Amino acid sequence: MSDSSDEEFFGFEADEIQQAAQRYEQLLIDQGIGDDFEFNTSGNESEDSETEPIDDTIPIYNVNDQVVPDIDNVGIWHHNFDIYERGLPHLFQPRGPDGRATGPATILAADKGPIDFFKLFLNDILFEHIINETERYANQQITENPEGNKSAWSKPSLTEIKAFIGLCFLMGIDVKPETKLYWSTDPFMESPIFGKTMPRNRFMQIMRYLHFSNNHNAQQPGHPSYDVLYKIRNILNMFNTSMKREFVPSRQVSIDECMIPFKGRVKFKQYMPAKPTKWGIKIWALADSNTGYICYTDVYTGKTDRPQGQLGEHVVKKCIEGADIVGQGYHVYVDNFFSSPKLFQTLFDNYQTAACGTVCKNRSGLPADFMLKRPVGINTRGDMQFFQRKAISGVLWKDKKIVSAISTIHDHSMSEVQRLVQVDGQFNKADIPCPKIIADYTKYMGGVDRADQYIQYYCFNHKTQKWYKRVFFKFLEILKYNAYRLFLLSPNHQTVGNSPAMTFLQFSRQITSSLIDGYCGISNKGRQAAAPVPSRLTERHMPNIVGNKSWCHVCWAKVAAGKQEKRRQTIYGCNECGKHFCLPECFTAYHTKAKYC
C-alpha cells in the first residue's frame, strides 16, 4: 500500500503472515535457491543468519511466543525502556534575538491597527513588485496580441493596487456567485462600495494582467534551472521570508498539508477523494502548534520534483530547513503520512530535532507486533504495549480501535483521557489510561488545521484558469491570518479578560477598509456633464523653433508650485500654443497631462 493511500491498514493476521512465508519459501525452492532456507514470519532475520548474528547481551522481545531479533544493524525493538540507549534530550535554543525568546519579533505600539500588522508581511516594496510585473506583462500582451487587448491600459498606482487587493478581501467576506454581481444595481444584490471604489472593467483588467514574474526570464522544461513555479516563485520566497522573520515558534510545531481549490489545467493538480477539497493544489505547511501561526509553506509540484525516497521524509526535512529551526531542539508533530522510524532517527541524530506522530502499520522498520491486526495482550480499551529502539519509543494503544504511534520526544509515561462508556445502558464519562505519546499528539498536531480553518472562512476563491493567481490569493489569506495571530499576541492590543481584542471577521474588515482607504477610480456611471477638455490635449500640436530664447512654460509653473528648483530657457516650443517648452519632456507633459505641474 502506498503512503498516500486513503484506505486505512489495520494489520495482518498471524495466519496471513504464515501463509506469505510459505509462499515465499516455495518461490525460493522453485528458483533453485534451496530448500534449507527458513523464512522468519516476524519480518526480521533468522537466528541462523550469517550476516547478522544475534548478540545474547542485546535485549529481545517475543512475538507469539517466538524470540525475534531485529533486522536493523543499529539496534532492535524491545519492551524495557532504557534511558541510556535513548540518549540525552536536545536543549531548546530558539533563534530569537536574545537566544531564548519565542513569539512575535516586532511589538507594535497601542496606536497601531490591523493594517500595520498586515504591512509587516505585505509592505509597499511587495506592492511595487506586483505593480511592475503586472505592467510588464500587460505591455507584453498588448504588443504580442493587439487585437485581443484593445482596451486602453494604464499602470496601476500604489493606492489603486491596494484598493484592488482590498476589494478582493471584501469579496471573501461578502460572497456572491459571480464577480460582475458586485457591481450590480439590483437592490437585492447591490454592494455600493465596489462601484464607488473602482469601475468593474478596471477591476477585471487588473485581474487579467495581474502577474508576479518576468516571463522572458523563465527557463523551458528540460533546462537544469527550470522551475515549474517560476510564475510565483519570487513572491512566495518573499512571503516565506517575512513569515519567518516576524515570529519565532514555540517548541511544539506541526507539519501538515493544505489544499488550494483549483480545477484548471496544471500538471501538479492533486485529487484527494477523502478531503473536503478534492481537486486542487497541495501545499505543505509548518505551523506553531499553540497559536497556529504558519512559519513556512511549500507548494507540492509532483513526484518528479523530489529526490528518491519517501515523499514524507523529504517534505519534513524541507519544512524544518525552510523554517530555520534545524539544530535548536524543536519538537515536530506529524501524521502517519510522514512518520517512519528512519526519518525520526535521522531528525534526532542529524537535525537535533525530536518528532512524534502516528504511523502506518506497514511502514518499514517497525516491530512485527505493529503489523498484526490483533496484537497480543491488547483486547480492551486502555490496553497498551510499549516498544523502544535507540531514541525511538513506540506504542500500541486500544481506543475504539488500535492506535499506533512512534516518538523521539516521549518515553513510556502515562496520561489519561475521558471517554463515554456505557454501563448498564447509561453513558458516563470515564478516565481511560492513555500513553503520553498519544495525548501530546492530539494536543499539538492541530496547528496547521487550526490555521486552515480560519483561512477558509473569508477566502477569495474567484474563478480563473491561471493557477498562480489562485495560489497568490491563498497566500494573501495566510498572511492575513498570521497578522491576526500577531495582533492577538501583542501585549499592547489585549483586552481585559479572556475575550480576544477583535474577532477575525472584524480584523479582516478593518484591513479591507484600510486598503481601500477612500480610493475612488474613474467612474463611467450616469450622464453627468463632462468638464471641457483643453484644446492642447485634443488638437494636433508639433514642436518647432518659436523665436528667441525664453523661459519654458512648464518649468516656470513647476518652480512656482515648489516642485522644481530651477527653470530653463529654450528656443523651442509650440506655434499653436505660443509657448516655449523644453524638448521632449516638458512639451509632452503639457500636451498629454491635464495637470502638468
Side-chain angles (χ1 to χ4, degrees):
M1 183 180 295
S2 66
D3 296 340
S4 59
S5 175
D6 294 317
E7 298 181 1
E8 186 171 1
F9 177 74
F10 293 100
F12 296 108
E13 296 283 3
D15 57 345
E16 292 176 341
I17 298 178
Q18 185 64 34
Q19 292 174 9
Q22 294 174 358
R23 288 196 298 269
Y24 185 64
E25 182 179 354
Q26 184 62 41
L27 179 62
L28 294 178
I29 295 174
D30 295 341
Q31 294 180 355
I33 296 177
D35 56 0
D36 57 345
F37 178 83
E38 181 179 355
F39 182 80
N40 192 333
T41 59
S42 67
N44 303 308
E45 292 186 5
S46 170
E47 294 183 13
D48 298 329
S49 173
E50 299 180 358
T51 60
E52 184 65 26
I54 296 178
D55 187 352
D56 294 337
T57 62
I58 299 178
I60 56 179
Y61 67 95
N62 295 325
V63 176
N64 298 333
D65 298 327
Q66 297 181 9
V67 178
V68 181
D70 192 273
I71 62 172
D72 197 339
N73 295 333
V74 300
I76 64 172
W77 292 96
H78 56 87
H79 292 295
N80 300 322
F81 186 82
D82 189 347
I83 190 172
Y84 297 101
E85 179 184 351
R86 177 182 178 86
L88 296 175
H90 304 302
L91 297 178
F92 182 48
Q93 297 177 330
R95 54 175 168 80
D98 59 355
R100 297 293 296 171
T102 60
T106 304
I107 304 299
L108 297 181
D111 59 340
K112 302 297 183 180
I115 189 62
D116 297 294
F117 287 89
F118 185 70
K119 286 181 179 179
L120 294 175
F121 305 99
L122 192 61
N123 51 30
D124 289 351
I125 297 176
L126 279 172
F127 276 120
E128 290 290 351
H129 173 79
I130 296 172
I131 291 172
N132 294 333
E133 294 302 334
T134 300
E135 169 74 4
R136 189 201 312 272
Y137 180 71
N139 292 332
Q140 291 174 359
Q141 292 297 305
I142 293 171
T143 302
E144 297 173 2
N145 185 20
E147 294 298 323
N149 300 271
K150 294 182 178 180
S151 299
W153 164 258
S154 61
K155 182 179 180 180
S157 62
L158 184 61
T159 55
E160 186 179 25
I161 200 68
K162 288 182 178 180
F164 170 81
I165 298 297
L167 292 180
C168 292
F169 279 154
L170 187 56
M171 289 179 180
I173 299 174
D174 180 16
V175 181
K176 288 182 170 59
E178 296 181 11
T179 302
K180 64 180 182 181
L181 292 179
Y182 289 98
W183 284 265
S184 173
T185 57
D186 188 336
F188 292 97
M189 301 296 296
E190 186 176 11
S191 297
I193 185 62
F194 288 90
K196 293 179 180 179
T197 303
M198 185 179 297
R200 184 188 67 183
N201 291 345
R202 178 59 175 172
F203 179 88
M204 301 299 293
Q205 188 182 45
I206 296 177
M207 182 65 74
R208 177 181 185 179
Y209 294 128
L210 187 64
H211 218 70
F212 314 103
S213 63
N214 187 356
N215 287 344
H216 291 316
N217 295 335
Q219 300 295 339
Q220 297 301 316
H223 192 276
S225 60
Y226 171 71
D227 184 7
V228 70
L229 297 176
Y230 74 93
K231 287 183 177 292
I232 200 78
R233 176 66 70 188
N234 291 338
I235 203 78
L236 293 188
N237 290 340
M238 295 178 187
F239 288 165
N240 276 323
T241 300
S242 62
M243 290 189 295
K244 180 174 60 176
R245 180 186 65 239
E246 296 300 332
F247 186 81
V248 180
S250 59
R251 190 171 197 181
Q252 292 79 21
V253 297
S254 62
I255 298 176
D256 208 347
E257 61 191 17
C258 301
M259 289 289 287
I260 304 175
F262 185 73
K263 292 187 177 181
R265 296 182 61 181
V266 61
K267 69 176 184 179
F268 48 85
K269 179 177 61 178
Q270 301 291 307
Y271 174 67
M272 303 182 69
K275 297 289 185 179
T277 303
K278 294 177 172 53
W279 290 97
I281 299 171
K282 183 190 295 185
I283 62 174
W284 312 111
L286 184 146
D288 179 75
S289 296
N290 296 318
T291 63
Y293 181 97
I294 295 182
C295 306
Y296 176 79
T297 55
D298 183 51
V299 178
Y300 177 54
T301 57
K303 294 182 179 180
T304 58
D305 189 28
R306 64 181 175 95
Q308 296 295 327
Q310 185 192 357
L311 172 62
E313 296 180 9
H314 171 70
V315 170
V316 171
K317 293 176 183 177
K318 188 172 183 179
C319 288
I320 292 174
E321 294 168 357
D324 192 17
I325 60 173
V326 176
Q328 300 170 35
Y330 274 88
H331 292 172
V332 178
Y333 290 82
V334 295
D335 61 20
N336 58 10
F337 178 79
F338 307 94
S339 300
S340 70
K342 177 184 176 182
L343 170 65
F344 282 19
Q345 192 67 54
T346 301
L347 294 179
F348 191 87
D349 294 338
N350 303 330
Y351 287 73
Q352 287 74 53
T353 301
C356 173
T358 56
V359 62
C360 294
K361 293 178 180 294
N362 60 340
R363 189 74 76 192
S364 174
L366 291 174
D369 277 11
F370 272 61
M371 300 181 66
L372 297 177
K373 187 180 296 184
R374 296 180 179 86
V376 178
I378 301 181
N379 302 313
T380 61
R381 174 176 283 184
D383 290 345
M384 66 194 73
Q385 192 174 15
F386 285 95
F387 304 86
Q388 183 191 358
R389 190 184 72 178
K390 295 194 69 177
I392 305 176
S393 299
V395 66
L396 292 172
W397 177 62
K398 174 74 172 180
D399 195 12
K400 284 188 176 180
K401 58 183 180 180
I402 296 177
V403 181
S404 55
I406 57 176
S407 173
T408 55
I409 304 173
H410 306 85
D411 53 15
H412 56 295
S413 300
M414 296 295 301
S415 181
E416 288 184 345
V417 293
Q418 284 193 340
R419 294 289 188 268
L420 287 177
V421 179
Q422 185 177 12
V423 179
D424 297 332
Q426 299 291 329
F427 285 93
N428 298 308
K429 289 184 178 181
D431 292 330
I432 305 296
C434 173
K436 203 167 190 309
I437 296 178
I438 305 295
D440 283 354
Y441 173 83
T442 304
K443 180 179 180 181
Y444 295 120
M445 182 57 205
V448 177
D449 290 337
R450 180 185 305 174
D452 198 38
Q453 178 184 0
Y454 274 85
I455 291 168
Q456 295 298 329
Y457 285 155
Y458 314 112
C459 189
F460 170 52
N461 291 323
H462 70 293
K463 293 182 179 179
T464 179
Q465 295 180 349
K466 307 295 185 180
W467 63 269
Y468 55 89
K469 295 181 183 179
R470 184 60 64 84
V471 173
F472 171 72
F473 285 106
K474 176 74 171 185
F475 274 78
L476 283 186
E477 295 296 332
I478 292 176
L479 297 184
K480 186 174 68 173
Y481 171 76
N482 281 350
Y484 178 62
R485 300 310 310 183
L486 294 185
F487 176 80
L488 295 182
L489 293 172
S490 173
N492 299 323
H493 296 79
Q494 296 180 355
T495 57
V496 179
N498 297 325
S499 59
M502 190 179 296
T503 65
F504 189 50
L505 175 59
Q506 295 169 338
F507 187 85
S508 301
R509 183 185 176 280
Q510 287 204 21
I511 287 182
T512 300
S513 176
S514 299
L515 288 173
I516 295 174
D517 195 24
Y519 173 81
C520 181
I522 301 173
S523 177
N524 298 323
K525 298 172 70 174
R527 296 188 178 182
Q528 301 176 355
V533 181
S535 61
R536 61 185 173 86
L537 301 178
T538 58
E539 297 178 357
R540 184 175 183 178
H541 297 260
M542 301 297 291
N544 201 351
I545 298 176
V546 293
N548 297 328
K549 278 189 177 182
S550 182
W551 297 109
C552 171
H553 179 77
V554 175
C555 290
W556 186 284
K558 287 184 177 180
V559 171
K563 296 183 179 180
Q564 187 171 302
E565 294 182 358
K566 297 181 180 180
R567 53 179 180 264
R568 291 166 290 184
Q569 289 186 340
T570 177
I571 62 172
Y572 299 101
C574 178
N575 288 326
E576 287 79 4
C577 299
K579 301 180 185 298
H580 286 72
F581 301 104
C582 299
L583 295 183
E585 294 85 3
C586 295
F587 182 91
T588 303
Y590 183 78
H591 292 97
T592 58
K593 297 180 180 180
K595 296 181 179 180
Y596 54 88
C597 63

